[in-house]
mmCIF file of all heavy atoms in Angstrom:
data_model
loop_
_atom_site.group_PDB
_atom_site.id
_atom_site.type_symbol
_atom_site.label_atom_id
_atom_site.label_comp_id
_atom_site.label_asym_id
_atom_site.label_seq_id
_atom_site.Cartn_x
_atom_site.Cartn_y
_atom_site.Cartn_z
ATOM 1 N N TYR A 53 72.434 75.229 110.375
ATOM 2 C CA TYR A 53 73.154 74.293 111.233
ATOM 3 C C TYR A 53 74.430 74.912 111.807
ATOM 4 O O TYR A 53 75.132 74.269 112.585
ATOM 5 C CB TYR A 53 73.507 73.030 110.448
ATOM 6 C CG TYR A 53 72.293 72.217 110.066
ATOM 7 C CD1 TYR A 53 71.671 72.404 108.833
ATOM 8 C CD2 TYR A 53 71.757 71.266 110.938
ATOM 9 C CE1 TYR A 53 70.550 71.667 108.475
ATOM 10 C CE2 TYR A 53 70.632 70.522 110.591
ATOM 11 C CZ TYR A 53 70.031 70.728 109.358
ATOM 12 O OH TYR A 53 68.922 70.000 109.017
ATOM 13 N N GLU A 54 74.753 76.127 111.394
ATOM 14 C CA GLU A 54 75.945 76.798 111.909
ATOM 15 C C GLU A 54 75.746 77.189 113.367
ATOM 16 O O GLU A 54 74.653 77.522 113.803
ATOM 17 C CB GLU A 54 76.233 78.079 111.122
ATOM 18 C CG GLU A 54 76.697 77.882 109.713
ATOM 19 C CD GLU A 54 76.976 79.219 109.048
ATOM 20 O OE1 GLU A 54 76.373 80.231 109.453
ATOM 21 O OE2 GLU A 54 77.795 79.238 108.137
ATOM 22 N N ARG A 55 76.852 77.190 114.093
ATOM 23 C CA ARG A 55 76.831 77.818 115.404
ATOM 24 C C ARG A 55 76.769 79.326 115.213
ATOM 25 O O ARG A 55 77.473 79.885 114.376
ATOM 26 C CB ARG A 55 78.095 77.449 116.189
ATOM 27 C CG ARG A 55 78.206 78.148 117.559
ATOM 28 C CD ARG A 55 79.567 77.944 118.193
ATOM 29 N NE ARG A 55 79.741 76.601 118.694
ATOM 30 C CZ ARG A 55 79.372 76.183 119.900
ATOM 31 N NH1 ARG A 55 78.788 77.030 120.738
ATOM 32 N NH2 ARG A 55 79.584 74.935 120.271
ATOM 33 N N ASN A 56 75.903 79.993 115.974
ATOM 34 C CA ASN A 56 75.907 81.447 116.028
ATOM 35 C C ASN A 56 75.701 82.090 114.648
ATOM 36 O O ASN A 56 76.533 82.866 114.182
ATOM 37 C CB ASN A 56 77.233 81.912 116.645
ATOM 38 C CG ASN A 56 77.320 83.401 116.839
ATOM 39 O OD1 ASN A 56 76.314 84.083 117.032
ATOM 40 N ND2 ASN A 56 78.531 83.923 116.780
ATOM 41 N N PRO A 57 74.600 81.787 113.952
ATOM 42 C CA PRO A 57 74.438 82.306 112.582
ATOM 43 C C PRO A 57 74.424 83.824 112.491
ATOM 44 O O PRO A 57 75.007 84.404 111.575
ATOM 45 C CB PRO A 57 73.107 81.687 112.132
ATOM 46 C CG PRO A 57 72.404 81.280 113.383
ATOM 47 C CD PRO A 57 73.473 80.919 114.358
ATOM 48 N N PHE A 58 73.755 84.507 113.444
ATOM 49 C CA PHE A 58 73.707 85.963 113.361
ATOM 50 C C PHE A 58 75.068 86.574 113.666
ATOM 51 O O PHE A 58 75.493 87.551 113.035
ATOM 52 C CB PHE A 58 72.649 86.522 114.313
ATOM 53 C CG PHE A 58 72.450 88.000 114.172
ATOM 54 C CD1 PHE A 58 71.873 88.540 113.034
ATOM 55 C CD2 PHE A 58 72.858 88.867 115.177
ATOM 56 C CE1 PHE A 58 71.698 89.910 112.898
ATOM 57 C CE2 PHE A 58 72.683 90.245 115.045
ATOM 58 C CZ PHE A 58 72.100 90.759 113.906
ATOM 59 N N GLY A 59 75.784 86.012 114.637
ATOM 60 C CA GLY A 59 77.127 86.513 114.946
ATOM 61 C C GLY A 59 78.079 86.344 113.783
ATOM 62 O O GLY A 59 78.883 87.228 113.479
ATOM 63 N N ARG A 60 78.005 85.186 113.097
ATOM 64 C CA ARG A 60 78.830 84.980 111.909
ATOM 65 C C ARG A 60 78.506 86.023 110.845
ATOM 66 O O ARG A 60 79.394 86.533 110.162
ATOM 67 C CB ARG A 60 78.580 83.579 111.336
ATOM 68 C CG ARG A 60 79.208 82.445 112.123
ATOM 69 C CD ARG A 60 78.768 81.121 111.536
ATOM 70 N NE ARG A 60 79.329 79.986 112.232
ATOM 71 C CZ ARG A 60 80.331 79.240 111.793
ATOM 72 N NH1 ARG A 60 80.910 79.543 110.649
ATOM 73 N NH2 ARG A 60 80.762 78.216 112.486
ATOM 74 N N TYR A 61 77.220 86.306 110.716
ATOM 75 C CA TYR A 61 76.806 87.305 109.721
ATOM 76 C C TYR A 61 77.416 88.666 110.049
ATOM 77 O O TYR A 61 77.922 89.364 109.159
ATOM 78 C CB TYR A 61 75.281 87.398 109.686
ATOM 79 C CG TYR A 61 74.770 88.596 108.921
ATOM 80 C CD1 TYR A 61 74.757 88.600 107.525
ATOM 81 C CD2 TYR A 61 74.324 89.733 109.589
ATOM 82 C CE1 TYR A 61 74.306 89.705 106.824
ATOM 83 C CE2 TYR A 61 73.873 90.836 108.890
ATOM 84 C CZ TYR A 61 73.866 90.823 107.512
ATOM 85 O OH TYR A 61 73.427 91.912 106.824
ATOM 86 N N LEU A 62 77.398 89.050 111.323
ATOM 87 C CA LEU A 62 77.965 90.338 111.719
ATOM 88 C C LEU A 62 79.443 90.418 111.366
ATOM 89 O O LEU A 62 79.928 91.433 110.858
ATOM 90 C CB LEU A 62 77.780 90.552 113.222
ATOM 91 C CG LEU A 62 76.363 90.836 113.727
ATOM 92 C CD1 LEU A 62 76.365 90.943 115.249
ATOM 93 C CD2 LEU A 62 75.805 92.105 113.113
ATOM 94 N N VAL A 63 80.171 89.348 111.632
ATOM 95 C CA VAL A 63 81.620 89.365 111.419
ATOM 96 C C VAL A 63 81.965 89.379 109.938
ATOM 97 O O VAL A 63 82.900 90.061 109.515
ATOM 98 C CB VAL A 63 82.269 88.157 112.125
ATOM 99 C CG1 VAL A 63 83.760 88.071 111.782
ATOM 100 C CG2 VAL A 63 82.091 88.265 113.637
ATOM 101 N N ARG A 64 81.197 88.616 109.145
ATOM 102 C CA ARG A 64 81.583 88.508 107.739
ATOM 103 C C ARG A 64 80.936 89.541 106.822
ATOM 104 O O ARG A 64 81.303 89.650 105.662
ATOM 105 C CB ARG A 64 81.296 87.100 107.215
ATOM 106 C CG ARG A 64 79.849 86.704 107.179
ATOM 107 C CD ARG A 64 79.691 85.319 106.528
ATOM 108 N NE ARG A 64 78.393 84.741 106.832
ATOM 109 C CZ ARG A 64 78.220 83.649 107.549
ATOM 110 N NH1 ARG A 64 79.262 83.014 108.036
ATOM 111 N NH2 ARG A 64 77.010 83.179 107.787
ATOM 112 N N SER A 65 79.953 90.294 107.334
ATOM 113 C CA SER A 65 79.298 91.279 106.468
ATOM 114 C C SER A 65 80.101 92.572 106.442
ATOM 115 O O SER A 65 80.414 93.146 107.478
ATOM 116 C CB SER A 65 77.877 91.564 106.956
ATOM 117 O OG SER A 65 77.899 92.123 108.254
ATOM 118 N N GLU A 66 80.441 93.008 105.274
ATOM 119 C CA GLU A 66 81.190 94.239 105.052
ATOM 120 C C GLU A 66 82.400 94.350 105.974
ATOM 121 O O GLU A 66 82.496 95.286 106.780
ATOM 122 C CB GLU A 66 80.284 95.464 105.234
ATOM 123 C CG GLU A 66 79.110 95.485 104.270
ATOM 124 C CD GLU A 66 78.271 96.735 104.426
ATOM 125 O OE1 GLU A 66 78.708 97.643 105.148
ATOM 126 O OE2 GLU A 66 77.208 96.793 103.818
ATOM 127 N N PRO A 67 83.339 93.406 105.897
ATOM 128 C CA PRO A 67 84.506 93.476 106.780
ATOM 129 C C PRO A 67 85.315 94.732 106.484
ATOM 130 O O PRO A 67 85.552 95.066 105.328
ATOM 131 C CB PRO A 67 85.308 92.217 106.405
ATOM 132 C CG PRO A 67 84.852 91.880 105.021
ATOM 133 C CD PRO A 67 83.417 92.307 104.936
ATOM 134 N N PRO A 68 85.742 95.480 107.523
ATOM 135 C CA PRO A 68 86.488 96.718 107.279
ATOM 136 C C PRO A 68 87.861 96.433 106.685
ATOM 137 O O PRO A 68 88.503 95.442 107.011
ATOM 138 C CB PRO A 68 86.608 97.333 108.681
ATOM 139 C CG PRO A 68 86.482 96.173 109.615
ATOM 140 C CD PRO A 68 85.540 95.214 108.956
ATOM 141 N N ASP A 69 88.286 97.302 105.806
ATOM 142 C CA ASP A 69 89.607 97.198 105.204
ATOM 143 C C ASP A 69 90.516 98.205 105.894
ATOM 144 O O ASP A 69 90.400 99.411 105.696
ATOM 145 C CB ASP A 69 89.534 97.481 103.705
ATOM 146 C CG ASP A 69 90.899 97.381 103.040
ATOM 147 O OD1 ASP A 69 91.835 96.890 103.695
ATOM 148 O OD2 ASP A 69 91.031 97.809 101.889
ATOM 149 N N TYR A 70 91.403 97.693 106.723
ATOM 150 C CA TYR A 70 92.305 98.564 107.474
ATOM 151 C C TYR A 70 93.611 98.840 106.744
ATOM 152 O O TYR A 70 94.395 99.678 107.199
ATOM 153 C CB TYR A 70 92.649 97.919 108.827
ATOM 154 C CG TYR A 70 91.496 97.764 109.782
ATOM 155 C CD1 TYR A 70 90.912 96.523 110.014
ATOM 156 C CD2 TYR A 70 90.991 98.855 110.487
ATOM 157 C CE1 TYR A 70 89.863 96.374 110.911
ATOM 158 C CE2 TYR A 70 89.947 98.717 111.379
ATOM 159 C CZ TYR A 70 89.386 97.470 111.584
ATOM 160 O OH TYR A 70 88.352 97.322 112.472
ATOM 161 N N THR A 71 93.883 98.132 105.654
ATOM 162 C CA THR A 71 95.223 98.178 105.081
ATOM 163 C C THR A 71 95.613 99.563 104.583
ATOM 164 O O THR A 71 96.799 99.900 104.564
ATOM 165 C CB THR A 71 95.370 97.168 103.931
ATOM 166 O OG1 THR A 71 94.337 97.396 102.962
ATOM 167 C CG2 THR A 71 95.247 95.744 104.444
ATOM 168 N N PHE A 72 94.625 100.392 104.198
ATOM 169 C CA PHE A 72 94.995 101.715 103.690
ATOM 170 C C PHE A 72 95.627 102.570 104.782
ATOM 171 O O PHE A 72 96.407 103.484 104.485
ATOM 172 C CB PHE A 72 93.781 102.424 103.067
ATOM 173 C CG PHE A 72 92.781 102.961 104.043
ATOM 174 C CD1 PHE A 72 92.854 104.266 104.488
ATOM 175 C CD2 PHE A 72 91.743 102.161 104.504
ATOM 176 C CE1 PHE A 72 91.923 104.781 105.371
ATOM 177 C CE2 PHE A 72 90.806 102.658 105.386
ATOM 178 C CZ PHE A 72 90.897 103.969 105.825
ATOM 179 N N TYR A 73 95.325 102.270 106.065
ATOM 180 C CA TYR A 73 96.007 102.980 107.146
ATOM 181 C C TYR A 73 97.508 102.679 107.101
ATOM 182 O O TYR A 73 98.341 103.572 107.291
ATOM 183 C CB TYR A 73 95.445 102.571 108.509
ATOM 184 C CG TYR A 73 94.033 103.035 108.773
ATOM 185 C CD1 TYR A 73 92.986 102.120 108.839
ATOM 186 C CD2 TYR A 73 93.746 104.371 108.970
ATOM 187 C CE1 TYR A 73 91.678 102.531 109.103
ATOM 188 C CE2 TYR A 73 92.451 104.801 109.221
ATOM 189 C CZ TYR A 73 91.422 103.880 109.286
ATOM 190 O OH TYR A 73 90.135 104.292 109.535
ATOM 191 N N GLY A 74 97.838 101.419 106.882
ATOM 192 C CA GLY A 74 99.249 101.057 106.778
ATOM 193 C C GLY A 74 99.914 101.698 105.576
ATOM 194 O O GLY A 74 101.071 102.140 105.658
ATOM 195 N N THR A 75 99.204 101.761 104.452
ATOM 196 C CA THR A 75 99.776 102.379 103.262
ATOM 197 C C THR A 75 100.057 103.856 103.497
ATOM 198 O O THR A 75 101.066 104.392 103.014
ATOM 199 C CB THR A 75 98.826 102.196 102.066
ATOM 200 O OG1 THR A 75 98.527 100.813 101.905
ATOM 201 C CG2 THR A 75 99.455 102.720 100.787
ATOM 202 N N ARG A 76 99.184 104.541 104.228
ATOM 203 C CA ARG A 76 99.437 105.953 104.555
ATOM 204 C C ARG A 76 100.740 106.114 105.321
ATOM 205 O O ARG A 76 101.500 107.071 105.095
ATOM 206 C CB ARG A 76 98.278 106.512 105.385
ATOM 207 C CG ARG A 76 97.026 106.836 104.588
ATOM 208 C CD ARG A 76 95.969 107.427 105.496
ATOM 209 N NE ARG A 76 94.761 107.783 104.762
ATOM 210 C CZ ARG A 76 93.659 108.267 105.319
ATOM 211 N NH1 ARG A 76 93.622 108.455 106.639
ATOM 212 N NH2 ARG A 76 92.611 108.568 104.587
ATOM 213 N N ILE A 77 100.993 105.186 106.231
ATOM 214 C CA ILE A 77 102.226 105.272 107.012
ATOM 215 C C ILE A 77 103.431 104.999 106.127
ATOM 216 O O ILE A 77 104.476 105.649 106.254
ATOM 217 C CB ILE A 77 102.156 104.290 108.200
ATOM 218 C CG1 ILE A 77 101.120 104.802 109.213
ATOM 219 C CG2 ILE A 77 103.516 104.138 108.863
ATOM 220 C CD1 ILE A 77 100.861 103.852 110.343
ATOM 221 N N ALA A 78 103.316 104.037 105.222
ATOM 222 C CA ALA A 78 104.421 103.784 104.294
ATOM 223 C C ALA A 78 104.668 105.000 103.404
ATOM 224 O O ALA A 78 105.827 105.330 103.090
ATOM 225 C CB ALA A 78 104.114 102.546 103.445
ATOM 226 N N ASP A 79 103.606 105.687 102.987
ATOM 227 C CA ASP A 79 103.767 106.937 102.227
ATOM 228 C C ASP A 79 104.534 107.976 103.042
ATOM 229 O O ASP A 79 105.400 108.690 102.520
ATOM 230 C CB ASP A 79 102.401 107.498 101.829
ATOM 231 C CG ASP A 79 101.806 106.816 100.609
ATOM 232 O OD1 ASP A 79 102.578 106.378 99.740
ATOM 233 O OD2 ASP A 79 100.566 106.740 100.515
ATOM 234 N N LEU A 80 104.206 108.068 104.329
ATOM 235 C CA LEU A 80 104.928 108.997 105.202
ATOM 236 C C LEU A 80 106.397 108.600 105.304
ATOM 237 O O LEU A 80 107.292 109.462 105.276
ATOM 238 C CB LEU A 80 104.282 109.001 106.593
ATOM 239 C CG LEU A 80 105.052 109.750 107.682
ATOM 240 C CD1 LEU A 80 105.073 111.247 107.394
ATOM 241 C CD2 LEU A 80 104.446 109.483 109.063
ATOM 242 N N ARG A 81 106.668 107.326 105.405
ATOM 243 C CA ARG A 81 108.050 106.861 105.508
ATOM 244 C C ARG A 81 108.820 107.144 104.208
ATOM 245 O O ARG A 81 110.039 107.333 104.242
ATOM 246 C CB ARG A 81 108.081 105.377 105.856
ATOM 247 C CG ARG A 81 107.528 105.094 107.254
ATOM 248 C CD ARG A 81 107.517 103.602 107.572
ATOM 249 N NE ARG A 81 108.865 103.072 107.509
ATOM 250 C CZ ARG A 81 109.199 101.951 106.882
ATOM 251 N NH1 ARG A 81 108.269 101.254 106.221
ATOM 252 N NH2 ARG A 81 110.442 101.525 106.881
ATOM 253 N N ASN A 82 108.100 107.184 103.085
ATOM 254 C CA ASN A 82 108.747 107.602 101.842
ATOM 255 C C ASN A 82 109.191 109.057 101.913
ATOM 256 O O ASN A 82 110.284 109.421 101.467
ATOM 257 C CB ASN A 82 107.796 107.409 100.663
ATOM 258 C CG ASN A 82 108.191 106.242 99.778
ATOM 259 O OD1 ASN A 82 109.211 105.602 99.998
ATOM 260 N ND2 ASN A 82 107.386 105.965 98.773
ATOM 261 N N LEU A 83 108.329 109.913 102.466
ATOM 262 C CA LEU A 83 108.698 111.313 102.658
ATOM 263 C C LEU A 83 109.883 111.427 103.609
ATOM 264 O O LEU A 83 110.790 112.253 103.405
ATOM 265 C CB LEU A 83 107.498 112.102 103.191
ATOM 266 C CG LEU A 83 107.741 113.564 103.574
ATOM 267 C CD1 LEU A 83 108.263 114.358 102.375
ATOM 268 C CD2 LEU A 83 106.449 114.204 104.100
ATOM 269 N N ALA A 84 109.897 110.597 104.651
ATOM 270 C CA ALA A 84 111.025 110.604 105.589
ATOM 271 C C ALA A 84 112.314 110.183 104.874
ATOM 272 O O ALA A 84 113.387 110.755 105.112
ATOM 273 C CB ALA A 84 110.738 109.664 106.758
ATOM 274 N N ALA A 85 112.214 109.187 103.984
ATOM 275 C CA ALA A 85 113.396 108.747 103.245
ATOM 276 C C ALA A 85 113.914 109.861 102.340
ATOM 277 O O ALA A 85 115.133 110.092 102.238
ATOM 278 C CB ALA A 85 113.046 107.505 102.411
ATOM 279 N N ALA A 86 112.990 110.585 101.689
ATOM 280 C CA ALA A 86 113.394 111.706 100.831
ATOM 281 C C ALA A 86 114.017 112.827 101.659
ATOM 282 O O ALA A 86 114.962 113.507 101.207
ATOM 283 C CB ALA A 86 112.191 112.222 100.051
ATOM 284 N N THR A 87 113.516 113.030 102.878
ATOM 285 C CA THR A 87 114.078 114.058 103.757
ATOM 286 C C THR A 87 115.478 113.674 104.209
ATOM 287 O O THR A 87 116.400 114.514 104.232
ATOM 288 C CB THR A 87 113.160 114.266 104.979
ATOM 289 O OG1 THR A 87 111.850 114.614 104.531
ATOM 290 C CG2 THR A 87 113.691 115.373 105.882
ATOM 291 N N ARG A 88 115.677 112.406 104.557
ATOM 292 C CA ARG A 88 117.024 111.954 104.933
ATOM 293 C C ARG A 88 117.990 112.091 103.753
ATOM 294 O O ARG A 88 119.165 112.457 103.932
ATOM 295 C CB ARG A 88 116.971 110.499 105.411
ATOM 296 C CG ARG A 88 116.345 110.321 106.789
ATOM 297 C CD ARG A 88 116.596 108.924 107.330
ATOM 298 N NE ARG A 88 115.887 107.914 106.564
ATOM 299 C CZ ARG A 88 114.657 107.476 106.853
ATOM 300 N NH1 ARG A 88 113.995 107.984 107.882
ATOM 301 N NH2 ARG A 88 114.086 106.551 106.108
ATOM 302 N N LEU A 89 117.489 111.808 102.558
ATOM 303 C CA LEU A 89 118.320 111.984 101.365
ATOM 304 C C LEU A 89 118.756 113.439 101.222
ATOM 305 O O LEU A 89 119.922 113.735 100.940
ATOM 306 C CB LEU A 89 117.540 111.529 100.139
ATOM 307 C CG LEU A 89 118.234 111.665 98.778
ATOM 308 C CD1 LEU A 89 119.464 110.767 98.710
ATOM 309 C CD2 LEU A 89 117.267 111.327 97.647
ATOM 310 N N THR A 90 117.824 114.354 101.440
ATOM 311 C CA THR A 90 118.138 115.793 101.349
ATOM 312 C C THR A 90 119.184 116.182 102.381
ATOM 313 O O THR A 90 120.133 116.945 102.091
ATOM 314 C CB THR A 90 116.856 116.625 101.562
ATOM 315 O OG1 THR A 90 115.849 116.201 100.641
ATOM 316 C CG2 THR A 90 117.125 118.107 101.364
ATOM 317 N N ILE A 91 119.039 115.657 103.600
ATOM 318 C CA ILE A 91 119.993 115.974 104.670
ATOM 319 C C ILE A 91 121.391 115.480 104.298
ATOM 320 O O ILE A 91 122.392 116.202 104.455
ATOM 321 C CB ILE A 91 119.526 115.339 106.000
ATOM 322 C CG1 ILE A 91 118.220 115.983 106.469
ATOM 323 C CG2 ILE A 91 120.599 115.476 107.078
ATOM 324 C CD1 ILE A 91 117.528 115.231 107.594
ATOM 325 N N GLU A 92 121.482 114.269 103.783
ATOM 326 C CA GLU A 92 122.784 113.701 103.438
ATOM 327 C C GLU A 92 123.430 114.454 102.266
ATOM 328 O O GLU A 92 124.658 114.672 102.246
ATOM 329 C CB GLU A 92 122.642 112.211 103.108
ATOM 330 C CG GLU A 92 123.948 111.484 102.894
ATOM 331 C CD GLU A 92 124.860 111.532 104.119
ATOM 332 O OE1 GLU A 92 124.337 111.612 105.260
ATOM 333 O OE2 GLU A 92 126.095 111.489 103.927
ATOM 334 N N VAL A 93 122.606 114.850 101.317
ATOM 335 C CA VAL A 93 123.121 115.623 100.190
ATOM 336 C C VAL A 93 123.728 116.934 100.676
ATOM 337 O O VAL A 93 124.826 117.343 100.231
ATOM 338 C CB VAL A 93 121.997 115.885 99.164
ATOM 339 C CG1 VAL A 93 122.405 116.980 98.174
ATOM 340 C CG2 VAL A 93 121.649 114.604 98.417
ATOM 341 N N ARG A 94 123.059 117.615 101.625
ATOM 342 C CA ARG A 94 123.593 118.880 102.129
ATOM 343 C C ARG A 94 124.799 118.642 103.036
ATOM 344 O O ARG A 94 125.731 119.441 103.065
ATOM 345 C CB ARG A 94 122.496 119.633 102.901
ATOM 346 C CG ARG A 94 121.442 120.236 101.997
ATOM 347 C CD ARG A 94 122.054 121.308 101.085
ATOM 348 N NE ARG A 94 121.055 121.913 100.225
ATOM 349 C CZ ARG A 94 120.740 121.487 99.002
ATOM 350 N NH1 ARG A 94 121.365 120.428 98.489
ATOM 351 N NH2 ARG A 94 119.827 122.102 98.286
ATOM 352 N N ARG A 95 124.795 117.542 103.769
ATOM 353 C CA ARG A 95 125.950 117.235 104.610
ATOM 354 C C ARG A 95 127.213 117.070 103.748
ATOM 355 O O ARG A 95 128.286 117.580 104.084
ATOM 356 C CB ARG A 95 125.697 115.952 105.407
ATOM 357 C CG ARG A 95 126.821 115.624 106.423
ATOM 358 C CD ARG A 95 127.008 114.110 106.599
ATOM 359 N NE ARG A 95 125.817 113.436 107.058
ATOM 360 C CZ ARG A 95 125.587 113.051 108.307
ATOM 361 N NH1 ARG A 95 126.472 113.325 109.254
ATOM 362 N NH2 ARG A 95 124.486 112.401 108.609
ATOM 363 N N GLN A 96 127.054 116.376 102.615
ATOM 364 C CA GLN A 96 128.207 116.131 101.753
ATOM 365 C C GLN A 96 128.453 117.266 100.759
ATOM 366 O O GLN A 96 129.492 117.290 100.093
ATOM 367 C CB GLN A 96 128.003 114.818 100.977
ATOM 368 C CG GLN A 96 127.931 113.580 101.850
ATOM 369 C CD GLN A 96 127.921 112.299 101.033
ATOM 370 O OE1 GLN A 96 128.513 112.227 99.945
ATOM 371 N NE2 GLN A 96 127.266 111.272 101.559
ATOM 372 N N GLY A 97 127.497 118.204 100.656
ATOM 373 C CA GLY A 97 127.667 119.311 99.721
ATOM 374 C C GLY A 97 127.676 118.859 98.270
ATOM 375 O O GLY A 97 128.446 119.393 97.453
#
């Protein structure tokens, strides 16, 4: 009785998980934070 049963199946079957892409970027931003820390440490000696 659903509208569009096959289309619903396509959308809900094995939905892709994109969040790990975001986590990779946050990991990169952690490296950037550590690099800024290194720069500030050398600036202040």
Side-chain angles (χ1 to χ4, degrees):
Y53 293 93
E54 290 181 334
R55 176 190 287 273
N56 184 29
F58 186 69
R60 285 174 180 256
Y61 167 77
L62 289 177
V63 174
R64 65 175 163 245
S65 62
E66 300 183 9
D69 180 11
Y70 295 105
T71 54
F72 75 93
Y73 291 111
T75 306
R76 283 182 179 177
I77 290 174
D79 280 329
L80 171 67
R81 294 178 60 227
N82 253 357
L83 175 59
T87 303
R88 287 192 292 269
L89 179 64
T90 305
I91 294 167
E92 187 60 29
V93 165
R94 287 296 181 269
R95 185 213 301 259
Q96 296 188 31

